[in-house]
Amino acid sequence: MLIRDFRQGRCLMARLDHGADIISQITDLAKEKEIKTCFLSAVGALSRAELGYYDQVSQKYGKIQIDEPVELVTCLGNVSLRDGQPFVHVHAALSDREGRIYGGHLNSGTVFAAELYMQELLGLNLERVPDSITGLNLWSEE
Ligand code: ZN
């Protein structure tokens, strides 16, 4: 297990831009505010989205396209560093007009309206590196 102690930095609340990609906006905000590590959550609605499902045997991501408006029921994740740049990792639960939930790794999503909370974490850099066991980019000891 890798454990890092952090202290709390800034708390940001942001209204995301209509029509823009949620992941790009979070990435851009982290860069603009020079946030290297944070916990984040968001709620709102997306006009379309793409979720990912990681197949642990083939170690490849499958894509789940959602080409209809959905509620962003919840979106949780973090920002850490990958190749020295802020990297957003979020998972989301999305609901359709019947209340059915789609869930997974959020690859992209066009914002209809969304509210973001970011809790900056201050301490040593948390950097993602390729992990040979999982095939994922995981936080490293360094
Ligand atoms: Zn993920």
Side-chain angles (χ1 to χ4, degrees), residues 61 89 91 105:
Y61 271 102
H89 181 207
H91 286 198
H105 177 100

Side-chain angles (χ1 to χ4, degrees), residues 36-122:
K36 294 177 177 174
T37 312
C38 81
F39 168 80
L40 67 87
S41 69
V43 292
L46 304 175
S47 55
R48 56 148 297 281
E50 182 187 289
L51 296 169
Y53 172 83
Y54 191 68
D55 186 313
Q56 297 173 16
V57 175
S58 70
Q59 299 196 344
K60 290 192 169 98
Y61 271 102
K63 292 177 181 173
I64 303 158
Q65 299 287 347
I66 299 168
D67 294 318
E68 62 176 315
V70 286
E71 292 290 316
L72 181 58
V73 177
T74 190
C75 174
L76 291 174
N78 56 65
V79 171
S80 57
L81 297 175
R82 184 171 158 190
D83 299 325
Q85 295 296 313
F87 178 82
V88 176
H89 181 207
V90 288
H91 286 198
L94 310 172
S95 70
D96 68 13
R97 65 179 64 244
E98 307 294 330
R100 289 176 299 217
I101 295 283
Y102 302 93
H105 177 100
L106 186 60
N107 288 336
S108 66
T110 304
V111 171
F112 180 77
E115 297 164 348
L116 171 72
Y117 168 72
M118 293 175 95
Q119 169 62 66
E120 182 184 31
L121 299 170
L122 300 172

